[in-house]
Amino acid sequence: MRAISGLWRWRHNPLRRGTDLAESWVALVALLLVLVAAPVVGSLVGNLAQDTLQRSVRDQRQDRHLVTATVVRGLERIVVEPDPETSSGREVRSRVVADWTAPDGTRRHAAITCALKNPRPGDHFPLWTDRHGRITARPLDSATATTHAVLAGLGASALTAGAVEGIRRLIVRRMVRRRYARWDQAWDRAGPDWGRTGTGS
């Protein structure tokens, strides 16, 4: 708003310098870029991230399978930092030796971590694996992917606005330096005794 009021104020002012008008135009262009370009860039980045992440969601749903594992025997309990997308506090998890059948039909047997608090032989728990039965992370869900895409878009929009403002400040700083340099040249031309002209001293 200062850009628009500055342009209006300097429009017909007889004291207006060229640099004053130029600074107002630079501020107005920067404001328009922040209001128009930053949202457009944010939208493009958000849409691109959404497409990529939703494709990843579909791929992970095809490649990752939820199977049921059976506890053979318990090992030690451990405290782990949780998945930030699923819970908010520290979790106590147990290490167990378990059996499960892979989606391709092969039998698997390994020591793994599970969410059972007091595992006993024969207990069942869900386990994400790939098609060959190797343990993998839970697949990304659509809502989480959308949240990440929105955050990417907002971040791109904020970075664009920050870049525009940074460029505006650099341009104005150069203009101010040039103005000061011109003033120094004018003072040099006036001479050291400018204030005593015509006094006979």
Side-chain angles (χ1 to χ4, degrees):
M1 298 315 291
R2 285 175 51 197
I4 296 170
S5 66
L7 276 174
W8 188 260
R9 187 176 68 242
W10 288 114
R11 203 167 47 120
H12 298 299
N13 192 322
L15 298 177
R16 180 193 72 198
R17 297 169 297 197
T19 55
D20 296 327
L21 195 58
E23 284 180 30
S24 295
W25 275 109
V26 167
L28 178 62
V29 169
L31 176 65
L32 291 175
L33 285 173
V34 167
L35 293 177
V36 176
V40 168
V41 169
S43 177
L44 290 174
V45 169
N47 287 334
L48 182 63
Q50 175 76 339
D51 292 344
T52 303
L53 289 170
Q54 292 301 335
R55 193 176 314 114
S56 179
V57 167
R58 289 190 297 273
D59 292 344
Q60 288 183 11
R61 283 183 180 163
Q62 289 177 355
D63 294 339
R64 299 180 185 185
H65 305 275
L66 189 62
V67 299
T68 301
T70 304
V71 176
V72 175
R73 72 175 191 277
L75 297 174
E76 73 276 9
R77 287 174 54 168
I78 55 174
V79 177
V80 297
E81 293 298 331
D83 182 351
E85 296 169 1
T86 59
S87 59
S88 58
R90 292 168 61 97
E91 294 179 349
V92 176
R93 297 176 70 88
S94 302
R95 284 207 33 97
V96 298
V97 176
D99 291 329
W100 66 94
T101 302
D104 65 3
T106 58
R107 300 275 300 160
R108 293 282 183 156
H109 177 85
I112 58 174
T113 302
C114 71
L116 298 174
K117 290 185 180 178
N118 296 306
R120 292 186 303 270
D123 286 349
H124 300 290
F125 61 93
L127 181 67
W128 285 101
T129 70
D130 64 11
R131 67 187 61 175
H132 302 295
R134 290 185 292 262
I135 298 170
T136 122
R138 175 178 66 90
L140 182 66
D141 63 89
S142 185
T144 302
T146 299
T147 301
H148 290 320
V150 168
L151 291 174
L154 290 174
S157 185
L159 284 175
T160 302
V164 168
E165 175 61 14
I167 291 169
R168 183 196 71 80
R169 286 175 182 255
L170 287 174
I171 292 171
V172 169
R173 182 181 294 171
R174 284 195 70 172
M175 287 180 170
V176 169
R177 284 183 180 171
R178 286 173 64 187
R179 182 187 306 151
Y180 288 158
R182 287 187 189 136
W183 283 355
D184 287 342
Q185 291 170 2
W187 280 110
D188 289 341
R189 281 194 303 269
D193 60 345
W194 65 272
R196 294 178 293 197
T197 304
T199 60
S201 56

